[in-house]
Amino acid sequence: MLKKYSITTSMRDELAEITDTVREFALDQELTEGAILIYCPHTTAGLTINENADPDVKIDMINRLDETFPWNHLKDRHEEGNTAAHLKASCMGASQHVIVTGGSLLLGVWQGIYFCEFDGPRERTFYLKAIHNRAKE
C-alpha cells in the first residue's frame, strides 16, 4: 500500500524527524518482514537517516550544508534564488529504504529518519510504501 503524508515545516532549513510516522505505518500495514520505501516528491527537500540522540547533530548538519552550499552565491543563476536548496536536497536524496524484520524497523540505536526541508517554511508531502516479503524462509 502507498500512503501520502503531509508535513508542515517551520524554518528555511529543518530536519524534521518522521521515524514514529514510519514505525506506525509499518504497524498499520501489519508489515513483519520486508521494507518501507520513503519518498519525497520535492526538488528542494529530501530524506536522510542519521543520529537522533543529540539534537546538535541536526544543527551541525545544516551548518555544514550552509557552508558547502551558501544561500547567496554570485555564480548562481536560478531565477528563484534557491539554488542552495536544490543542491542540499540532491545531496540528501529523494528516497530512503528501511528494512523491517520481526515487525520492527531495522535502525541503529542512534538512528532516526528525517524529512529535510531546505526551502521552507512550507506545507510538504512524503510517501510511504510497504514492501512485503512473501517468501517462506
Side-chain angles (χ1 to χ4, degrees), residues 1-6 18-39 96-100 103-105 113 126-132 134:
M1 174 181 184
L2 178 70
K3 188 167 180 184
K4 181 179 181 179
Y5 290 85
S6 294
I18 60 171
T19 309
D20 288 342
T21 301
V22 177
R23 189 173 284 119
E24 289 169 15
F25 175 77
L27 290 172
D28 290 345
Q29 297 303 303
E30 299 177 0
L31 182 58
T32 55
E33 298 295 328
I36 296 176
L37 170 65
I38 310 149
Y39 176 71
Q96 295 287 328
H97 283 87
V98 177
I99 295 170
V100 176
S104 297
L105 303 180
I113 306 164
F126 63 93
Y127 293 87
L128 300 180
K129 172 82 174 166
I131 304 164
H132 292 267
R134 304 281 187 214

Side-chain angles (χ1 to χ4, degrees), residues 44 75-83 86:
T44 57
K75 293 183 180 180
D76 288 347
R77 298 179 58 175
H78 185 48
E79 187 175 301
E80 292 179 29
N82 62 353
T83 297
H86 289 278

Side-chain angles (χ1 to χ4, degrees), residues 23-125:
R23 189 173 284 119
E24 289 169 15
F25 175 77
L27 290 172
D28 290 345
Q29 297 303 303
E30 299 177 0
L31 182 58
T32 55
E33 298 295 328
I36 296 176
L37 170 65
I38 310 149
Y39 176 71
C40 171
H42 304 287
T43 61
T44 57
L47 298 159
T48 194
I49 297 173
N50 214 298
E51 182 176 331
N52 67 352
D54 182 347
D56 286 337
V57 171
K58 295 188 304 185
I59 295 166
D60 291 346
M61 288 177 67
I62 289 169
N63 287 340
R64 293 307 161 269
L65 286 167
D66 282 342
E67 289 173 4
T68 305
F69 306 113
W71 194 256
N72 295 308
H73 193 287
L74 296 175
K75 293 183 180 180
D76 288 347
R77 298 179 58 175
H78 185 48
E79 187 175 301
E80 292 179 29
N82 62 353
T83 297
H86 289 278
L87 292 164
K88 292 173 186 180
S90 289
C91 281
M92 291 297 155
S95 66
Q96 295 287 328
H97 283 87
V98 177
I99 295 170
V100 176
T101 187
S104 297
L105 303 180
L106 185 59
L107 292 171
V109 173
W110 308 112
Q111 286 184 317
I113 306 164
Y114 291 94
F115 183 91
C116 307
E117 174 65 74
F118 298 118
D119 198 18
R122 290 183 186 239
E123 182 73 22
R124 298 288 200 165
T125 58

